[in-house]
């Protein structure tokens, strides 16, 4: 076990709490910077996709994992980011300006969607966001002059001035850079007042209000910020897939995003990364699985969404804290070895509210 | 001088008159206790003061200002903090973060500054932390600082909630049955802590409480309610001997 001597409150505020963390994150950073030397273009592409998922996941995690508002419509923000970016690029806007505008527009739409959603929680909110995503999908298919309708639209190659960002190594670094920036922003948010206000709302609205937190404002803000991150991911995704069509942003994508934050571990940014790896690599795994299955089974339509759904349900039942929660348990097992006791992570049934009522 | 004054407050739920035509005023620096049988309307009265419910009639003045129409989240800024009868903590957060949330009304930074964690934000965080530590020292919560609320025993949760309310640096503190669920030692500590809060911090306290021992030891005045109506206001001794109060508790 590690005991840290604290001599200043700053130590509880730092992003890296101790030398060990700094070392391991540094090592991870170096590995990611060097990986283009060893990985093939295909795997770099897959990693870029994982980064993009992670950026979108940060957005959804802030909303669902930290503010406690479930969204089943986040594919819509991905779509808004992607289409806006592609459209502005086609109009000749420079790449950085276009990606910024796409992010801001998505964020604005998110905030507007947040307003009617203020009075809803849980399943009602999930259904409302789902409805919103369906509306966006309809708009994408029918607003032909901008989106190209069902035919879709091609996305211009990314470049800043004459410097092309298109080859897989540069694009990989672009995604890595933006992901790092997003993580930095999200971590900062979570260690300051606004982030704490969001978690307060998740845990108890009534007491958040009594602490002076404006529910409507904070929830709208959470929606806006969340949609911004996801929209930003969308504009990167546009380049990754190269050609936008309404069916790139279906309900299945929304579910995948939700799956990502739940499987990764709600209420942790580590969880976003684990979740993104999981979602990014799962299709590869499923493809391998398909090859080994007898054809009769492998050809079942809807196999993929079925397996996604199954995993979601299993995680919710057996490991509600997701991959990250599981990892924490494994780690504390080794740290405390041989003193680990089986019930360490069992929640004590501390008390039931009704038992203490009178 | 009166800090809080309620005039002819009433609220009914359907046919139940939870609070009926109640008027009282609380002076600056007082510890004002509210007693009464279960269902007397004590918690409802707190919910009216903290603007969780709208009164059907009557008005509340705090610090010379009519707060009957003020939105709920502004109450904290005005300087009124409260605890809840069955504790309403931020369960998945640590004690430290719960208390930092209590500092929310004191924040002076905007979203952009927070996203970038500018030096002004760091300064503010350090200031918050120092104030939180003062409250932790006052209520002896040092051992629990980094523990998640969901893992804490009930008595500690009760104290964390008081601590969180104190982090607002309120002028008026509303405590809803602070001793319920505490063991005798904890209740003993509580009575000293209430005195400390009142004397050292100069906070005016309104407390709903069943433990008459605690009430007599700490309170300046006591108000008795029954069935939503005010029965009597007076010193702890007067109230304990008041025939109407005894009748309300013991029945006819
Ligand atoms: N939200 C509510 N809806 C309906 N009835 C309520 C509500 N809150 C309180 N009451 C009723 O109002 C009366 C007073 O309740 P309360 O203020 O909680 O009493 P006390 O705190 O004095 O025990 C009770 O009869 C209770 O059933
Ligand atoms: Mg009560």
């Amino acid at each position: 076990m590690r005991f840290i001597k604290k001599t200043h409150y700053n130590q509880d505020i730092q992003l890296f709490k101790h030398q060990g963390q700094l070392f391991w994150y540094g090592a991870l950073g170096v590995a990611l910077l060097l990986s283009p030397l060893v990985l093939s273009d295909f795997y770099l592409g897959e990693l870029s996709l994982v980064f993009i998922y992670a950026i979108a996941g940060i957005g959804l995690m802030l909303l669902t994992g930290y503010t406690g508002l479930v969204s089943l419509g986040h594919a819509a923000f991905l779509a808004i980011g992607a289409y806006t970016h592609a459209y502005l690029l086609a109009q000749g806007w420079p790449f950085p300006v276009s990606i910024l505008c796409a992010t801001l527009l998505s964020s604005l739409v998110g905030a507007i969607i947040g307003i009617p959603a203020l009075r809803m929680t849980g399943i009602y909110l999930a259904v409302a966001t789902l409805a919103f995503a369906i509306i966006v999908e309809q708009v994408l298919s029918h607003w032909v002059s901008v989106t190209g309708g069902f035919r879709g639209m091609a996305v211009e190659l990314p470049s800043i001035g004459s410097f092309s960002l298109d080859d897989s190594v540069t694009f990989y670094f672009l995604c890595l850079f933006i992901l790092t920036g997003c993580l930095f922003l999200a971590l900062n948010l979570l260690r300051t007042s606004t982030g704490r206000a969001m978690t307060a709302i998740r845990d108890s609205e009534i007491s958040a209000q009594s602490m002076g937190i404006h529910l409507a404002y904070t929830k709208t803000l959470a929606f806006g910020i969340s949609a911004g991150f996801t929209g930003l991911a969308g504009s990167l995704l546009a380049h990754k897939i190269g050609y936008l069509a309404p069916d790139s942003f279906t309900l299945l994508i929304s579910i995948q995003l939700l799956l990502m934050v739940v499987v990764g571990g709600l209420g942790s940014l580590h969880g976003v990364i684990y979740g993104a790896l999981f979602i990014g690599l799962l299709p590869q795994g499923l493809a391998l699985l398909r090859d080994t299955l007898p054809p009769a089974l492998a050809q079942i339509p809807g196999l993929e969404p079925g397996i996604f759904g199954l995993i979601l349900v299993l995680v919710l039942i057996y490991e509600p804290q997701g991959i990250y929660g599981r990892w924490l348990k494994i780690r504390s097992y080794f740290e405390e070895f041989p003193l680990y006791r089986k019930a360490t992570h069992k929640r004590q049934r501390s008390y039931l509210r009704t038992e203490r009522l009178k | 001088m009166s800090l809080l004054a309620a005039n002819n407050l009433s609220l009914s739920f359907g046919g139940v008159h939870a609070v009926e035509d109640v008027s009282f005023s609380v002076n600056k620096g007082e510890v004002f206790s509210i007693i009464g049988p279960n269902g007397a309307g004590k918690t409802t009265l707190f919910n009216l003061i903290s603007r969780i419910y709208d009164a059907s009639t009557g008005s509340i003045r705090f610090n010379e200002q009519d707060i009957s129409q003020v939105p709920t989240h502004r109450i904290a800024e005005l300087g009124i903090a409260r605890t809840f009868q069955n504790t309403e903590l931020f369960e998945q957060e640590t004690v430290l973060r719960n208390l930092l949330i209590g500092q929310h009304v004191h924040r002076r930074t905007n979203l952009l500054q927070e996203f970038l964690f500018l030096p002004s934000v760091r300064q503010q965080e350090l200031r918050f932390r120092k104030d939180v530590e003062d409250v932790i020292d006052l209520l002896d919560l040092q051992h629990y600082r980094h523990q998640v609320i969901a893992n804490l025993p009930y008595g500690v949760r009760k104290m964390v909630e008081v601590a969180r309310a104190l982090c607002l640096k309120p002028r008026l503190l509303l405590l809803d049955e602070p001793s319920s669920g505490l063991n005798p030692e904890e209740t003993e500590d509580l009575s000293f802590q209430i005195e400390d809060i009142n004397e050292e911090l100069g906070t005016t306290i309104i407390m709903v409480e069943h433990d008459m021992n605690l009430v007599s030891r700490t309170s300046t005045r006591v108000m008795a309610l029954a069935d939503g109506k005010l029965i009597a206001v007076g010193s702890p001794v007067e109230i304990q001997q008041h025939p109407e109060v005894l009748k309300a508790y013991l029945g006819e």
Side-chain angles (χ1 to χ4, degrees):
Chain A
M1 283 196 88
R2 182 191 290 273
F3 291 97
I4 303 158
K5 178 161 182 255
K6 294 184 183 169
T7 52
H8 198 282
Y9 298 148
N10 253 325
Q11 279 168 278
D12 281 337
I13 300 177
Q14 298 306 354
L15 287 182
F16 301 107
K17 300 281 183 285
H18 53 78
Q19 295 292 315
Q21 269 190 345
L22 191 61
F23 174 78
W24 285 112
Y25 286 114
L28 177 66
V30 171
L32 286 173
L33 287 176
L34 294 182
S35 50
L37 296 178
V38 283
L39 291 183
S40 70
D41 274 6
F42 173 76
Y43 283 106
L44 281 185
E46 291 298 296
L47 266 184
S48 312
L49 193 62
V50 168
F51 295 161
I52 294 171
Y53 277 131
I55 297 168
I58 292 172
L60 189 56
M61 187 62 91
L62 287 175
L63 188 70
T64 301
Y66 286 99
T67 319
L69 303 171
V70 178
S71 164
L72 259 181
H74 257 51
F77 300 119
L78 216 49
I80 292 172
Y83 272 94
T84 312
H85 182 54
Y87 180 77
L88 293 180
L89 279 186
Q91 305 300 307
W93 291 39
F95 178 88
V97 181
S98 159
I99 207 166
L100 191 67
C101 288
T103 306
L104 291 179
L105 181 70
S106 174
S107 173
L108 185 69
V109 175
I112 293 170
I113 290 311
I115 295 169
L118 289 178
R119 300 193 161 272
M120 293 178 258
T121 46
I123 187 78
Y124 301 100
L125 182 60
V127 171
T129 49
L130 173 66
F132 161 69
I134 292 172
I135 294 171
V136 169
E137 223 183 306
Q138 290 301 315
V139 171
L140 293 181
S141 355
H142 292 101
W143 196 6
V144 181
S145 59
V146 172
T147 66
F150 288 110
R151 247 190 24 256
M153 71 194 288
V155 184
E156 306 215 344
L157 296 181
S159 68
I160 296 180
S162 59
F163 182 70
S164 164
L165 300 169
D166 183 47
D167 69 290
S168 53
V169 176
T170 323
F171 190 69
Y172 167 87
F173 280 121
L174 177 71
C175 294
L176 180 60
F177 175 73
I178 293 182
L179 171 60
T180 314
C182 289
L183 279 172
F184 178 71
L185 295 180
L187 282 167
N188 283 346
L189 186 71
L190 290 171
R191 56 180 172 155
T192 52
S193 286
T194 307
R196 287 192 294 262
M198 288 163 40
T199 49
I201 288 180
R202 175 194 65 195
D203 286 359
S204 165
E205 289 198 359
I206 190 160
S207 74
Q209 260 181 321
S210 299
M211 294 292 114
I213 293 166
H214 191 331
L215 290 190
Y217 171 77
T218 310
K219 284 184 181 181
T220 312
L221 197 67
F223 255 101
I225 293 171
S226 171
F229 279 111
T230 307
L232 176 58
S235 37
L236 290 173
L237 188 65
H239 292 299
K240 186 82 189 79
I241 52 188
Y243 197 87
L244 301 180
D247 64 5
S248 321
F249 303 99
T250 53
L251 173 62
L252 188 60
I253 305 290
S254 292
I255 293 178
Q256 272 191 24
L257 289 174
L258 197 59
L259 180 67
M260 170 163 80
V261 296
V262 171
V263 169
L266 281 177
S268 104
L269 287 178
H270 284 106
V272 173
I273 306 295
Y274 289 115
L277 279 168
F278 177 77
I279 291 295
L281 304 180
L282 190 64
Q284 309 297 330
L286 288 182
L288 287 178
L289 187 71
R290 254 182 217 274
D291 292 343
T292 58
L293 285 179
L297 263 180
Q299 301 309 325
I300 297 177
L303 185 65
E304 222 171 85
I307 289 182
F308 276 147
L310 188 66
I311 292 174
L312 187 58
V313 171
L314 290 179
V315 168
L316 284 176
I317 295 175
Y318 292 108
E319 191 53 277
Q321 288 169 327
I323 301 177
Y324 183 60
R326 171 56 49 184
W327 156 245
L328 286 183
K329 287 174 197 171
I330 294 172
R331 196 176 65 181
S332 70
Y333 176 83
F334 283 108
E335 277 178 355
E336 285 166 28
F337 189 83
L339 302 176
Y340 189 82
R341 62 187 179 101
K342 230 176 164 183
T344 302
H345 295 283
K346 282 255 158 57
R347 265 284 152 75
Q348 283 182 28
R349 212 188 104 230
S350 36
Y351 79 102
L352 286 175
R353 281 189 182 200
T354 46
E355 289 172 350
R356 297 282 188 163
L357 203 63
K358 293 290 149 68
Chain B
M1 214 185 38
S2 116
L3 182 65
L4 182 94
N7 296 310
N8 310 101
L9 278 184
S10 298
L11 177 65
S12 1
F13 297 102
V16 182
H17 298 287
V19 172
E20 208 176 339
D21 200 25
V22 171
S23 304
F24 64 96
S25 87
V26 178
N27 298 325
K28 264 191 193 123
E30 258 191 313
V31 177
F32 186 89
S33 290
I34 302 176
I35 62 165
N38 282 319
K42 307 177 297 292
T43 299
T44 307
L45 198 56
F46 268 19
N47 287 339
L48 286 171
I49 298 173
S50 50
R51 294 281 304 122
I52 290 171
Y53 297 150
D54 286 318
S56 21
T57 60
S59 68
I60 308 171
R61 294 183 74 78
F62 175 69
N63 206 20
E64 312 297 314
Q65 183 191 346
D66 187 355
I67 57 167
S68 315
Q69 302 301 322
V70 169
T72 317
H73 65 94
R74 292 260 303 128
I75 288 295
E77 282 167 46
L78 292 176
I80 303 179
R82 69 169 294 178
T83 66
F84 295 84
Q85 186 170 343
N86 296 310
T87 73
E88 280 284 340
L89 286 161
F90 306 118
E91 292 281 320
Q92 301 176 46
E93 298 290 338
T94 60
V95 170
L96 187 60
R97 259 178 90 90
N98 266 268
L99 302 192
L100 286 170
I101 292 170
Q103 301 270 358
H104 188 81
V105 290
H106 302 300
R107 89 177 180 138
R108 294 289 168 267
T109 51
N110 62 35
L111 185 63
L112 195 65
Q113 291 169 320
E114 290 176 357
F115 261 134
L116 299 174
F117 210 76
L118 296 183
S120 58
V121 178
R122 180 180 296 272
Q123 290 309 319
Q124 171 170 283
E125 287 300 316
L126 291 175
R127 205 167 57 240
F128 281 178
R129 180 67 191 273
K130 208 193 135 291
D131 291 350
V132 162
E133 290 296 331
D134 288 344
V135 174
I136 286 180
D137 285 341
L138 185 73
L139 298 186
D140 281 329
L141 292 168
Q142 294 88 345
H143 294 303
Y144 306 105
R145 212 181 266 123
H146 294 289
Q147 295 206 28
V148 174
I149 300 294
N151 300 329
L152 291 177
Y154 191 73
V156 181
R157 302 157 74 103
K158 279 280 205 194
M159 287 322 294
V160 173
E161 211 183 22
V162 176
R164 184 182 64 180
L166 283 181
C167 285
L168 268 80
K169 303 200 188 107
R171 311 177 59 165
L172 175 64
L173 177 62
L174 310 175
L175 301 174
D176 199 347
E177 305 203 7
S179 83
S180 76
L182 300 192
N183 62 34
E185 291 80 28
E186 290 171 324
T187 310
E188 174 94 11
D189 289 346
L190 179 69
S191 75
F192 290 116
Q193 280 156 346
I194 288 176
E195 279 173 11
D196 284 350
I197 295 168
N198 182 237
E199 284 161 18
E200 285 181 29
L201 306 180
T203 312
T204 308
I205 298 174
I206 305 181
M207 169 169 81
V208 168
E209 191 41 72
H210 283 303
D211 184 335
M212 279 315 289
N213 204 354
L214 178 63
V215 169
S216 330
R217 277 171 62 177
T218 53
S219 317
T220 334
R221 287 191 300 151
V222 182
M223 170 169 85
L225 290 181
D227 293 328
K229 292 191 262 308
L230 193 155
I231 314 180
V233 183
S235 73
V237 181
E238 280 166 16
I239 292 299
Q240 268 170 308
Q241 293 165 352
H242 198 287
E244 292 285 322
V245 177
L246 293 177
K247 207 168 88 187
Y249 271 94
L250 302 174
E252 290 302 320

